[in-house]
Amino acid sequence: MALTGLFLILFLVVHLIGNLQLLKSDNGEAFNVYAQFMTSNPLIKVISYLNYAFILIHIIWSIILTRRNRSARGPEGYAVTRNSSHWTSRNMGILGTFIFIFLVIHLRSFWYEMHWGGIPMANYNGTDYKDLYTVVDTAYASIGFVMLYVISMALLAFHLFHGFGSAFQTLGLNHIKYNPMIRIVGVAFAIVVPALFALIPLYMYFN
Ligand code: HEM
């Protein structure tokens, strides 16, 4: 869970930097050129396949672990559930399930359209590009869709809030001296990254 989680955290950073180009006032040119590069470059394609595999392993492994933990505890469950651990730690499965539902809707709306949908074309300096920007812009014209993103990003924040620190702990990358720093970076990451993701649909809706 930790290794795949850290890879997905890296993916989120790259994905965010790419998506922030949606905010440029250039009618989508920078974003469309970037999206075309990301779907056609052979090296990026290999990384993409790794990413799909890591997402699946992360989900399947989480189900296996949850089942194993439950059966290890037995049918009586825990007498005390309100302990000192943060509620996000005890609800990673629920948070993960909602993020999975978000991901299915997200991939169907954008990723599927980019690869197999009949999307409009745009021409920059004599070269044709798929106009993914218009697909995203049209989707974010709906307040319901924007709200889905904002709520999902809040859930992602809670998921990362626990996941970031716990990944370091699982991999043994914790040390009494560095733990406070890992915690601060983890909390900052869990707030800033989802907030910037949520800003994109909000900005596009209100502009
Ligand atoms: C405002 C927020 C977001 C926007 C505007 C956005 C936009 C997009 C677009 C346009 C694509 C299709 C690009 C392509 O196929 O080349 C895509 C793919 C993808 N998105 Fe997002 N995304 C957002 C947030 C997220 C989040 C939070 C996650 C994960 C929790 C995520 C996971 C993915 C994945 C896994 C793909 C497939 C990437 C690949 O083919 O390698 N996205 N996104």
Side-chain angles (χ1 to χ4, degrees), residues 8 11-12 15-16 19-20 22 31 34-40 44-45 47-49 51-52 55 99-100 102-103 106-107 109-115 132-133 135-136 140 149 152-153 156 193-194 196-202 204:
L8 297 178
F11 162 76
L12 278 183
H15 197 45
L16 176 63
N19 287 339
L20 284 175
L22 286 162
F31 179 75
Y34 157 81
Q36 192 112 319
F37 171 77
M38 294 301 271
T39 41
S40 54
I44 308 274
K45 266 192 183 170
I47 300 173
S48 266
Y49 293 136
N51 191 33
Y52 306 146
I55 292 174
I99 293 165
F100 174 69
F102 157 77
L103 206 54
H106 177 55
L107 293 181
S109 316
F110 299 151
W111 174 80
Y112 176 87
E113 286 301 318
M114 179 65 178
H115 289 264
L132 189 58
Y133 174 84
V135 176
V136 177
Y140 292 152
Y149 271 69
S152 301
M153 291 311 102
L156 179 66
V193 170
L196 287 174
F197 267 122
L199 178 76
I200 298 171
L202 284 171
M204 292 181 84

